[in-house]
Amino acid sequence: MKVKVIGIPVQDQQKALQFYTEKLGFVKKIDIPLSEGNRWLTVVSKEEPDGAAILLEPSPNHFQPARAYQKALFDAGIPYTQFDCEDVQQEFERLRSLGVEFSVTPTEMGTVKIAVFDDTCGNQIQIVQML
């Protein structure tokens, strides 16, 4: 088995595309219109364009359990997912200079350093560096 796509629920796909490309530095890979104004919209790391894609999946507004789950994770400060990076401190400073809001500043936790930010689309995302 291989991981090719991981979904992240987002409240607004266009806003998510702007955040994930303009702030985080991902690049758009696929953008196919679907029903009800939704899109099959993926982004990938510019360092690994053939690596796993992130599906910026429309948060299902019509399905209350999914909305409640996403909000509960966010409100508890629990990251929806995590991204690896080479230097958490450097990435934190770069993202903060772009206006990204962090709930957890760079923190060493055993063999990793982490930070957690708001993706502006309903999720907390953790970045992690192996030490």
mmCIF file of all heavy atoms in Angstrom, residues 62-111:
data_model
loop_
_atom_site.group_PDB
_atom_site.id
_atom_site.type_symbol
_atom_site.label_atom_id
_atom_site.label_comp_id
_atom_site.label_asym_id
_atom_site.label_seq_id
_atom_site.Cartn_x
_atom_site.Cartn_y
_atom_site.Cartn_z
ATOM 1 N N HIS A 62 -23.471 19.856 5.413
ATOM 2 C CA HIS A 62 -24.747 19.159 5.579
ATOM 3 C C HIS A 62 -24.646 17.948 6.511
ATOM 4 O O HIS A 62 -25.650 17.319 6.809
ATOM 5 C CB HIS A 62 -25.268 18.712 4.207
ATOM 6 C CG HIS A 62 -24.329 17.778 3.520
ATOM 7 N ND1 HIS A 62 -23.199 18.202 2.871
ATOM 8 C CD2 HIS A 62 -24.339 16.425 3.409
ATOM 9 C CE1 HIS A 62 -22.552 17.161 2.381
ATOM 10 N NE2 HIS A 62 -23.213 16.080 2.697
ATOM 11 N N PHE A 63 -23.435 17.619 6.986
ATOM 12 C CA PHE A 63 -23.248 16.441 7.826
ATOM 13 C C PHE A 63 -22.715 16.882 9.187
ATOM 14 O O PHE A 63 -21.518 17.048 9.381
ATOM 15 C CB PHE A 63 -22.295 15.456 7.137
ATOM 16 C CG PHE A 63 -22.192 14.121 7.838
ATOM 17 C CD1 PHE A 63 -23.318 13.334 8.043
ATOM 18 C CD2 PHE A 63 -20.971 13.659 8.280
ATOM 19 C CE1 PHE A 63 -23.225 12.114 8.684
ATOM 20 C CE2 PHE A 63 -20.869 12.435 8.931
ATOM 21 C CZ PHE A 63 -21.999 11.661 9.133
ATOM 22 N N GLN A 64 -23.623 17.107 10.118
ATOM 23 C CA GLN A 64 -23.303 17.683 11.419
ATOM 24 C C GLN A 64 -22.213 16.928 12.189
ATOM 25 O O GLN A 64 -21.352 17.571 12.794
ATOM 26 C CB GLN A 64 -24.568 17.819 12.267
ATOM 27 C CG GLN A 64 -24.356 18.494 13.605
ATOM 28 C CD GLN A 64 -23.730 19.881 13.499
ATOM 29 O OE1 GLN A 64 -23.970 20.621 12.549
ATOM 30 N NE2 GLN A 64 -22.912 20.243 14.472
ATOM 31 N N PRO A 65 -22.177 15.596 12.193
ATOM 32 C CA PRO A 65 -21.098 14.918 12.941
ATOM 33 C C PRO A 65 -19.698 15.305 12.457
ATOM 34 O O PRO A 65 -18.787 15.474 13.269
ATOM 35 C CB PRO A 65 -21.390 13.432 12.712
ATOM 36 C CG PRO A 65 -22.858 13.375 12.481
ATOM 37 C CD PRO A 65 -23.177 14.626 11.701
ATOM 38 N N ALA A 66 -19.521 15.455 11.155
ATOM 39 C CA ALA A 66 -18.205 15.852 10.630
ATOM 40 C C ALA A 66 -17.868 17.279 11.039
ATOM 41 O O ALA A 66 -16.734 17.571 11.424
ATOM 42 C CB ALA A 66 -18.176 15.713 9.110
ATOM 43 N N ARG A 67 -18.831 18.168 10.961
ATOM 44 C CA ARG A 67 -18.608 19.558 11.380
ATOM 45 C C ARG A 67 -18.264 19.615 12.864
ATOM 46 O O ARG A 67 -17.362 20.351 13.273
ATOM 47 C CB ARG A 67 -19.850 20.412 11.101
ATOM 48 C CG ARG A 67 -20.072 20.665 9.624
ATOM 49 C CD ARG A 67 -21.288 21.501 9.375
ATOM 50 N NE ARG A 67 -21.087 22.824 9.980
ATOM 51 C CZ ARG A 67 -22.068 23.650 10.279
ATOM 52 N NH1 ARG A 67 -23.309 23.318 10.048
ATOM 53 N NH2 ARG A 67 -21.811 24.822 10.804
ATOM 54 N N ALA A 68 -18.995 18.848 13.678
ATOM 55 C CA ALA A 68 -18.747 18.835 15.128
ATOM 56 C C ALA A 68 -17.355 18.293 15.435
ATOM 57 O O ALA A 68 -16.656 18.830 16.308
ATOM 58 C CB ALA A 68 -19.820 18.005 15.832
ATOM 59 N N TYR A 69 -16.949 17.248 14.729
ATOM 60 C CA TYR A 69 -15.622 16.660 14.938
ATOM 61 C C TYR A 69 -14.524 17.664 14.600
ATOM 62 O O TYR A 69 -13.592 17.863 15.389
ATOM 63 C CB TYR A 69 -15.486 15.400 14.081
ATOM 64 C CG TYR A 69 -14.116 14.769 14.128
ATOM 65 C CD1 TYR A 69 -13.660 14.119 15.274
ATOM 66 C CD2 TYR A 69 -13.266 14.821 13.028
ATOM 67 C CE1 TYR A 69 -12.404 13.542 15.322
ATOM 68 C CE2 TYR A 69 -12.010 14.245 13.066
ATOM 69 C CZ TYR A 69 -11.584 13.609 14.214
ATOM 70 O OH TYR A 69 -10.335 13.047 14.258
ATOM 71 N N GLN A 70 -14.628 18.312 13.448
ATOM 72 C CA GLN A 70 -13.615 19.292 13.041
ATOM 73 C C GLN A 70 -13.545 20.434 14.052
ATOM 74 O O GLN A 70 -12.466 20.839 14.477
ATOM 75 C CB GLN A 70 -13.917 19.822 11.640
ATOM 76 C CG GLN A 70 -12.844 20.777 11.135
ATOM 77 C CD GLN A 70 -13.150 21.333 9.748
ATOM 78 O OE1 GLN A 70 -14.286 21.317 9.289
ATOM 79 N NE2 GLN A 70 -12.129 21.840 9.097
ATOM 80 N N LYS A 71 -14.696 20.944 14.476
ATOM 81 C CA LYS A 71 -14.720 22.055 15.433
ATOM 82 C C LYS A 71 -14.167 21.619 16.792
ATOM 83 O O LYS A 71 -13.431 22.366 17.435
ATOM 84 C CB LYS A 71 -16.134 22.601 15.583
ATOM 85 C CG LYS A 71 -16.219 23.808 16.505
ATOM 86 C CD LYS A 71 -17.605 24.390 16.542
ATOM 87 C CE LYS A 71 -17.760 25.598 17.426
ATOM 88 N NZ LYS A 71 -16.783 25.913 18.414
ATOM 89 N N ALA A 72 -14.508 20.408 17.226
ATOM 90 C CA ALA A 72 -14.024 19.916 18.526
ATOM 91 C C ALA A 72 -12.504 19.787 18.519
ATOM 92 O O ALA A 72 -11.846 20.163 19.500
ATOM 93 C CB ALA A 72 -14.679 18.578 18.859
ATOM 94 N N LEU A 73 -11.940 19.261 17.443
ATOM 95 C CA LEU A 73 -10.479 19.175 17.344
ATOM 96 C C LEU A 73 -9.857 20.565 17.404
ATOM 97 O O LEU A 73 -8.900 20.802 18.146
ATOM 98 C CB LEU A 73 -10.060 18.501 16.033
ATOM 99 C CG LEU A 73 -10.185 16.997 15.930
ATOM 100 C CD1 LEU A 73 -9.767 16.536 14.537
ATOM 101 C CD2 LEU A 73 -9.371 16.286 16.985
ATOM 102 N N PHE A 74 -10.398 21.486 16.608
ATOM 103 C CA PHE A 74 -9.863 22.841 16.558
ATOM 104 C C PHE A 74 -9.930 23.507 17.933
ATOM 105 O O PHE A 74 -8.943 24.055 18.416
ATOM 106 C CB PHE A 74 -10.616 23.684 15.526
ATOM 107 C CG PHE A 74 -10.023 25.044 15.337
ATOM 108 C CD1 PHE A 74 -9.032 25.250 14.383
ATOM 109 C CD2 PHE A 74 -10.428 26.116 16.120
ATOM 110 C CE1 PHE A 74 -8.461 26.500 14.213
ATOM 111 C CE2 PHE A 74 -9.862 27.363 15.962
ATOM 112 C CZ PHE A 74 -8.882 27.560 15.011
ATOM 113 N N ASP A 75 -11.108 23.445 18.552
ATOM 114 C CA ASP A 75 -11.298 24.093 19.854
ATOM 115 C C ASP A 75 -10.398 23.506 20.940
ATOM 116 O O ASP A 75 -9.981 24.212 21.857
ATOM 117 C CB ASP A 75 -12.760 24.012 20.294
ATOM 118 C CG ASP A 75 -13.678 24.881 19.442
ATOM 119 O OD1 ASP A 75 -13.183 25.742 18.678
ATOM 120 O OD2 ASP A 75 -14.908 24.684 19.533
ATOM 121 N N ALA A 76 -10.091 22.223 20.836
ATOM 122 C CA ALA A 76 -9.207 21.567 21.814
ATOM 123 C C ALA A 76 -7.737 21.802 21.491
ATOM 124 O O ALA A 76 -6.866 21.410 22.263
ATOM 125 C CB ALA A 76 -9.503 20.066 21.859
ATOM 126 N N GLY A 77 -7.448 22.425 20.339
ATOM 127 C CA GLY A 77 -6.064 22.671 19.949
ATOM 128 C C GLY A 77 -5.356 21.429 19.443
ATOM 129 O O GLY A 77 -4.134 21.370 19.421
ATOM 130 N N ILE A 78 -6.136 20.440 19.026
ATOM 131 C CA ILE A 78 -5.559 19.196 18.528
ATOM 132 C C ILE A 78 -5.352 19.317 17.024
ATOM 133 O O ILE A 78 -6.301 19.579 16.285
ATOM 134 C CB ILE A 78 -6.474 17.993 18.844
ATOM 135 C CG1 ILE A 78 -6.620 17.844 20.364
ATOM 136 C CG2 ILE A 78 -5.948 16.714 18.202
ATOM 137 C CD1 ILE A 78 -7.652 16.823 20.804
ATOM 138 N N PRO A 79 -4.124 19.117 16.557
ATOM 139 C CA PRO A 79 -3.873 19.219 15.117
ATOM 140 C C PRO A 79 -4.639 18.164 14.322
ATOM 141 O O PRO A 79 -4.724 17.002 14.734
ATOM 142 C CB PRO A 79 -2.368 18.989 14.988
ATOM 143 C CG PRO A 79 -1.815 19.295 16.344
ATOM 144 C CD PRO A 79 -2.888 18.897 17.311
ATOM 145 N N TYR A 80 -5.180 18.592 13.181
ATOM 146 C CA TYR A 80 -5.868 17.658 12.290
ATOM 147 C C TYR A 80 -4.855 16.719 11.635
ATOM 148 O O TYR A 80 -5.115 15.549 11.443
ATOM 149 C CB TYR A 80 -6.667 18.401 11.219
ATOM 150 C CG TYR A 80 -7.559 17.471 10.456
ATOM 151 C CD1 TYR A 80 -8.815 17.136 10.939
ATOM 152 C CD2 TYR A 80 -7.128 16.868 9.283
ATOM 153 C CE1 TYR A 80 -9.619 16.238 10.266
ATOM 154 C CE2 TYR A 80 -7.922 15.969 8.603
ATOM 155 C CZ TYR A 80 -9.178 15.659 9.099
ATOM 156 O OH TYR A 80 -9.961 14.762 8.434
ATOM 157 N N THR A 81 -3.683 17.265 11.291
ATOM 158 C CA THR A 81 -2.609 16.473 10.698
ATOM 159 C C THR A 81 -1.291 17.172 10.969
ATOM 160 O O THR A 81 -1.262 18.221 11.618
ATOM 161 C CB THR A 81 -2.837 16.247 9.183
ATOM 162 O OG1 THR A 81 -1.967 15.211 8.727
ATOM 163 C CG2 THR A 81 -2.614 17.513 8.383
ATOM 164 N N GLN A 82 -0.215 16.613 10.466
ATOM 165 C CA GLN A 82 1.092 17.240 10.645
ATOM 166 C C GLN A 82 1.894 17.155 9.363
ATOM 167 O O GLN A 82 1.704 16.252 8.556
ATOM 168 C CB GLN A 82 1.872 16.617 11.793
ATOM 169 C CG GLN A 82 2.449 15.254 11.516
ATOM 170 C CD GLN A 82 3.258 14.724 12.684
ATOM 171 O OE1 GLN A 82 3.023 15.060 13.826
ATOM 172 N NE2 GLN A 82 4.226 13.882 12.395
ATOM 173 N N PHE A 83 2.778 18.124 9.206
ATOM 174 C CA PHE A 83 3.702 18.163 8.078
ATOM 175 C C PHE A 83 5.124 18.173 8.626
ATOM 176 O O PHE A 83 5.413 18.867 9.600
ATOM 177 C CB PHE A 83 3.500 19.430 7.235
ATOM 178 C CG PHE A 83 2.104 19.609 6.701
ATOM 179 C CD1 PHE A 83 1.520 20.865 6.704
ATOM 180 C CD2 PHE A 83 1.377 18.551 6.192
ATOM 181 C CE1 PHE A 83 0.237 21.055 6.195
ATOM 182 C CE2 PHE A 83 0.097 18.723 5.694
ATOM 183 C CZ PHE A 83 -0.477 19.986 5.698
ATOM 184 N N ASP A 84 5.999 17.421 7.991
ATOM 185 C CA ASP A 84 7.410 17.428 8.367
ATOM 186 C C ASP A 84 8.102 18.647 7.771
ATOM 187 O O ASP A 84 7.727 19.113 6.691
ATOM 188 C CB ASP A 84 8.115 16.176 7.837
ATOM 189 C CG ASP A 84 7.734 14.919 8.595
ATOM 190 O OD1 ASP A 84 7.005 15.009 9.597
ATOM 191 O OD2 ASP A 84 8.161 13.839 8.171
ATOM 192 N N CYS A 85 9.098 19.141 8.464
ATOM 193 C CA CYS A 85 9.935 20.204 7.909
ATOM 194 C C CYS A 85 11.347 20.028 8.453
ATOM 195 O O CYS A 85 11.557 19.359 9.460
ATOM 196 C CB CYS A 85 9.375 21.592 8.188
ATOM 197 S SG CYS A 85 9.345 22.087 9.889
ATOM 198 N N GLU A 86 12.293 20.631 7.757
ATOM 199 C CA GLU A 86 13.698 20.498 8.135
ATOM 200 C C GLU A 86 14.041 21.279 9.400
ATOM 201 O O GLU A 86 14.842 20.838 10.213
ATOM 202 C CB GLU A 86 14.603 20.971 6.994
ATOM 203 C CG GLU A 86 14.530 20.108 5.752
ATOM 204 C CD GLU A 86 15.096 18.724 5.968
ATOM 205 O OE1 GLU A 86 16.137 18.597 6.644
ATOM 206 O OE2 GLU A 86 14.485 17.759 5.475
ATOM 207 N N ASP A 87 13.424 22.471 9.565
ATOM 208 C CA ASP A 87 13.762 23.365 10.672
ATOM 209 C C ASP A 87 12.500 24.073 11.140
ATOM 210 O O ASP A 87 12.045 25.032 10.512
ATOM 211 C CB ASP A 87 14.818 24.375 10.205
ATOM 212 C CG ASP A 87 15.340 25.260 11.317
ATOM 213 O OD1 ASP A 87 14.588 25.568 12.258
ATOM 214 O OD2 ASP A 87 16.515 25.665 11.225
ATOM 215 N N VAL A 88 11.913 23.592 12.225
ATOM 216 C CA VAL A 88 10.660 24.156 12.734
ATOM 217 C C VAL A 88 10.819 25.630 13.086
ATOM 218 O O VAL A 88 9.943 26.439 12.786
ATOM 219 C CB VAL A 88 10.124 23.349 13.940
ATOM 220 C CG1 VAL A 88 9.054 24.118 14.697
ATOM 221 C CG2 VAL A 88 9.564 22.012 13.472
ATOM 222 N N GLN A 89 11.916 26.000 13.732
ATOM 223 C CA GLN A 89 12.109 27.397 14.124
ATOM 224 C C GLN A 89 12.128 28.314 12.891
ATOM 225 O O GLN A 89 11.469 29.349 12.875
ATOM 226 C CB GLN A 89 13.415 27.568 14.907
ATOM 227 C CG GLN A 89 13.622 28.973 15.446
ATOM 228 C CD GLN A 89 12.596 29.356 16.508
ATOM 229 O OE1 GLN A 89 12.260 28.544 17.378
ATOM 230 N NE2 GLN A 89 12.085 30.565 16.442
ATOM 231 N N GLN A 90 12.849 27.923 11.878
ATOM 232 C CA GLN A 90 12.939 28.719 10.655
ATOM 233 C C GLN A 90 11.576 28.801 9.958
ATOM 234 O O GLN A 90 11.162 29.873 9.505
ATOM 235 C CB GLN A 90 13.977 28.106 9.711
ATOM 236 C CG GLN A 90 14.187 28.880 8.444
ATOM 237 C CD GLN A 90 15.256 28.234 7.567
ATOM 238 O OE1 GLN A 90 15.560 27.050 7.690
ATOM 239 N NE2 GLN A 90 15.827 29.014 6.683
ATOM 240 N N GLU A 91 10.851 27.686 9.889
ATOM 241 C CA GLU A 91 9.528 27.681 9.254
ATOM 242 C C GLU A 91 8.541 28.505 10.074
ATOM 243 O O GLU A 91 7.722 29.244 9.520
ATOM 244 C CB GLU A 91 9.034 26.241 9.089
ATOM 245 C CG GLU A 91 7.866 26.097 8.179
ATOM 246 C CD GLU A 91 8.133 26.453 6.726
ATOM 247 O OE1 GLU A 91 9.295 26.604 6.303
ATOM 248 O OE2 GLU A 91 7.138 26.608 6.000
ATOM 249 N N PHE A 92 8.622 28.408 11.393
ATOM 250 C CA PHE A 92 7.786 29.226 12.275
ATOM 251 C C PHE A 92 8.003 30.715 11.988
ATOM 252 O O PHE A 92 7.052 31.472 11.824
ATOM 253 C CB PHE A 92 8.118 28.903 13.734
ATOM 254 C CG PHE A 92 7.592 29.894 14.727
ATOM 255 C CD1 PHE A 92 6.256 29.886 15.095
ATOM 256 C CD2 PHE A 92 8.431 30.826 15.313
ATOM 257 C CE1 PHE A 92 5.766 30.803 16.021
ATOM 258 C CE2 PHE A 92 7.964 31.743 16.238
ATOM 259 C CZ PHE A 92 6.618 31.724 16.587
ATOM 260 N N GLU A 93 9.250 31.134 11.927
ATOM 261 C CA GLU A 93 9.551 32.549 11.682
ATOM 262 C C GLU A 93 9.078 32.986 10.303
ATOM 263 O O GLU A 93 8.517 34.071 10.145
ATOM 264 C CB GLU A 93 11.043 32.795 11.869
ATOM 265 C CG GLU A 93 11.462 32.676 13.324
ATOM 266 C CD GLU A 93 12.966 32.652 13.542
ATOM 267 O OE1 GLU A 93 13.733 32.926 12.600
ATOM 268 O OE2 GLU A 93 13.379 32.344 14.682
ATOM 269 N N ARG A 94 9.255 32.126 9.285
ATOM 270 C CA ARG A 94 8.809 32.451 7.932
ATOM 271 C C ARG A 94 7.292 32.605 7.897
ATOM 272 O O ARG A 94 6.766 33.594 7.379
ATOM 273 C CB ARG A 94 9.247 31.357 6.949
ATOM 274 C CG ARG A 94 8.874 31.650 5.487
ATOM 275 C CD ARG A 94 9.197 30.489 4.573
ATOM 276 N NE ARG A 94 8.234 29.401 4.666
ATOM 277 C CZ ARG A 94 7.028 29.394 4.097
ATOM 278 N NH1 ARG A 94 6.612 30.449 3.397
ATOM 279 N NH2 ARG A 94 6.227 28.366 4.231
ATOM 280 N N LEU A 95 6.582 31.638 8.474
ATOM 281 C CA LEU A 95 5.123 31.682 8.449
ATOM 282 C C LEU A 95 4.570 32.818 9.293
ATOM 283 O O LEU A 95 3.613 33.497 8.890
ATOM 284 C CB LEU A 95 4.550 30.336 8.904
ATOM 285 C CG LEU A 95 4.798 29.164 7.960
ATOM 286 C CD1 LEU A 95 4.335 27.857 8.598
ATOM 287 C CD2 LEU A 95 4.131 29.390 6.620
ATOM 288 N N ARG A 96 5.168 33.043 10.441
ATOM 289 C CA ARG A 96 4.702 34.150 11.292
ATOM 290 C C ARG A 96 4.865 35.481 10.574
ATOM 291 O O ARG A 96 4.011 36.357 10.665
ATOM 292 C CB ARG A 96 5.430 34.148 12.630
ATOM 293 C CG ARG A 96 4.789 35.113 13.633
ATOM 294 C CD ARG A 96 5.360 34.969 14.984
ATOM 295 N NE ARG A 96 6.797 35.232 14.907
ATOM 296 C CZ ARG A 96 7.595 35.285 15.940
ATOM 297 N NH1 ARG A 96 7.130 35.064 17.137
ATOM 298 N NH2 ARG A 96 8.883 35.543 15.800
ATOM 299 N N SER A 97 5.954 35.646 9.806
ATOM 300 C CA SER A 97 6.164 36.886 9.053
ATOM 301 C C SER A 97 5.112 37.070 7.958
ATOM 302 O O SER A 97 4.884 38.183 7.497
ATOM 303 C CB SER A 97 7.573 36.930 8.449
ATOM 304 O OG SER A 97 7.670 36.080 7.322
ATOM 305 N N LEU A 98 4.443 35.966 7.569
ATOM 306 C CA LEU A 98 3.373 36.025 6.573
ATOM 307 C C LEU A 98 1.997 36.167 7.211
ATOM 308 O O LEU A 98 0.983 36.110 6.526
ATOM 309 C CB LEU A 98 3.410 34.765 5.694
ATOM 310 C CG LEU A 98 4.643 34.610 4.802
ATOM 311 C CD1 LEU A 98 4.666 33.236 4.150
ATOM 312 C CD2 LEU A 98 4.685 35.709 3.749
ATOM 313 N N GLY A 99 1.976 36.309 8.536
ATOM 314 C CA GLY A 99 0.714 36.504 9.242
ATOM 315 C C GLY A 99 0.043 35.241 9.735
ATOM 316 O O GLY A 99 -1.086 35.285 10.208
ATOM 317 N N VAL A 100 0.705 34.103 9.650
ATOM 318 C CA VAL A 100 0.129 32.851 10.134
ATOM 319 C C VAL A 100 0.113 32.877 11.659
ATOM 320 O O VAL A 100 1.098 33.251 12.293
ATOM 321 C CB VAL A 100 0.923 31.633 9.599
ATOM 322 C CG1 VAL A 100 0.403 30.334 10.204
ATOM 323 C CG2 VAL A 100 0.865 31.594 8.075
ATOM 324 N N GLU A 101 -1.025 32.488 12.234
ATOM 325 C CA GLU A 101 -1.184 32.495 13.682
ATOM 326 C C GLU A 101 -0.882 31.122 14.274
ATOM 327 O O GLU A 101 -1.432 30.113 13.823
ATOM 328 C CB GLU A 101 -2.599 32.929 14.048
ATOM 329 C CG GLU A 101 -2.875 34.372 13.645
ATOM 330 C CD GLU A 101 -4.260 34.826 14.063
ATOM 331 O OE1 GLU A 101 -4.899 34.157 14.909
ATOM 332 O OE2 GLU A 101 -4.695 35.860 13.530
ATOM 333 N N PHE A 102 -0.038 31.107 15.280
ATOM 334 C CA PHE A 102 0.376 29.875 15.945
ATOM 335 C C PHE A 102 -0.253 29.768 17.321
ATOM 336 O O PHE A 102 -0.276 30.732 18.080
ATOM 337 C CB PHE A 102 1.903 29.834 16.086
ATOM 338 C CG PHE A 102 2.609 29.446 14.826
ATOM 339 C CD1 PHE A 102 2.801 30.373 13.811
ATOM 340 C CD2 PHE A 102 3.056 28.148 14.641
ATOM 341 C CE1 PHE A 102 3.439 30.011 12.637
ATOM 342 C CE2 PHE A 102 3.697 27.781 13.479
ATOM 343 C CZ PHE A 102 3.885 28.714 12.466
ATOM 344 N N SER A 103 -0.740 28.572 17.648
ATOM 345 C CA SER A 103 -1.246 28.307 18.998
ATOM 346 C C SER A 103 -0.158 27.672 19.857
ATOM 347 O O SER A 103 -0.223 27.739 21.085
ATOM 348 C CB SER A 103 -2.479 27.401 18.946
ATOM 349 O OG SER A 103 -2.180 26.179 18.300
ATOM 350 N N VAL A 104 0.829 27.039 19.207
ATOM 351 C CA VAL A 104 1.984 26.469 19.907
ATOM 352 C C VAL A 104 3.229 26.933 19.164
ATOM 353 O O VAL A 104 3.378 26.676 17.973
ATOM 354 C CB VAL A 104 1.933 24.921 19.940
ATOM 355 C CG1 VAL A 104 3.175 24.352 20.607
ATOM 356 C CG2 VAL A 104 0.669 24.428 20.631
ATOM 357 N N THR A 105 4.086 27.649 19.866
ATOM 358 C CA THR A 105 5.341 28.101 19.271
ATOM 359 C C THR A 105 6.335 26.936 19.304
ATOM 360 O O THR A 105 6.097 25.932 19.978
ATOM 361 C CB THR A 105 5.894 29.323 20.029
ATOM 362 O OG1 THR A 105 6.092 28.962 21.393
ATOM 363 C CG2 THR A 105 4.952 30.514 19.924
ATOM 364 N N PRO A 106 7.455 27.023 18.593
ATOM 365 C CA PRO A 106 8.388 25.903 18.551
ATOM 366 C C PRO A 106 8.734 25.374 19.943
ATOM 367 O O PRO A 106 9.146 26.122 20.830
ATOM 368 C CB PRO A 106 9.612 26.495 17.852
ATOM 369 C CG PRO A 106 9.008 27.506 16.926
ATOM 370 C CD PRO A 106 7.898 28.128 17.739
ATOM 371 N N THR A 107 8.505 24.074 20.100
ATOM 372 C CA THR A 107 8.663 23.411 21.390
ATOM 373 C C THR A 107 9.334 22.061 21.184
ATOM 374 O O THR A 107 8.884 21.272 20.354
ATOM 375 C CB THR A 107 7.276 23.194 22.050
ATOM 376 O OG1 THR A 107 6.600 24.443 22.141
ATOM 377 C CG2 THR A 107 7.399 22.555 23.417
ATOM 378 N N GLU A 108 10.395 21.809 21.938
ATOM 379 C CA GLU A 108 11.034 20.494 21.876
ATOM 380 C C GLU A 108 10.257 19.524 22.751
ATOM 381 O O GLU A 108 9.887 19.845 23.883
ATOM 382 C CB GLU A 108 12.495 20.581 22.332
ATOM 383 C CG GLU A 108 13.379 21.260 21.322
ATOM 384 C CD GLU A 108 14.871 21.102 21.602
ATOM 385 O OE1 GLU A 108 15.260 20.138 22.303
ATOM 386 O OE2 GLU A 108 15.629 21.951 21.104
ATOM 387 N N MET A 109 10.033 18.334 22.196
ATOM 388 C CA MET A 109 9.306 17.275 22.906
ATOM 389 C C MET A 109 10.046 15.969 22.646
ATOM 390 O O MET A 109 9.751 15.277 21.677
ATOM 391 C CB MET A 109 7.859 17.186 22.429
ATOM 392 C CG MET A 109 7.082 18.472 22.605
ATOM 393 S SD MET A 109 5.388 18.334 22.053
ATOM 394 C CE MET A 109 4.664 17.600 23.499
ATOM 395 N N GLY A 110 11.038 15.702 23.464
ATOM 396 C CA GLY A 110 11.824 14.483 23.284
ATOM 397 C C GLY A 110 12.670 14.555 22.028
ATOM 398 O O GLY A 110 13.553 15.396 21.917
ATOM 399 N N THR A 111 12.358 13.705 21.065
ATOM 400 C CA THR A 111 13.165 13.621 19.841
ATOM 401 C C THR A 111 12.618 14.461 18.693
ATOM 402 O O THR A 111 13.063 14.317 17.560
ATOM 403 C CB THR A 111 13.272 12.154 19.376
ATOM 404 O OG1 THR A 111 11.948 11.666 19.111
ATOM 405 C CG2 THR A 111 13.945 11.294 20.439
#
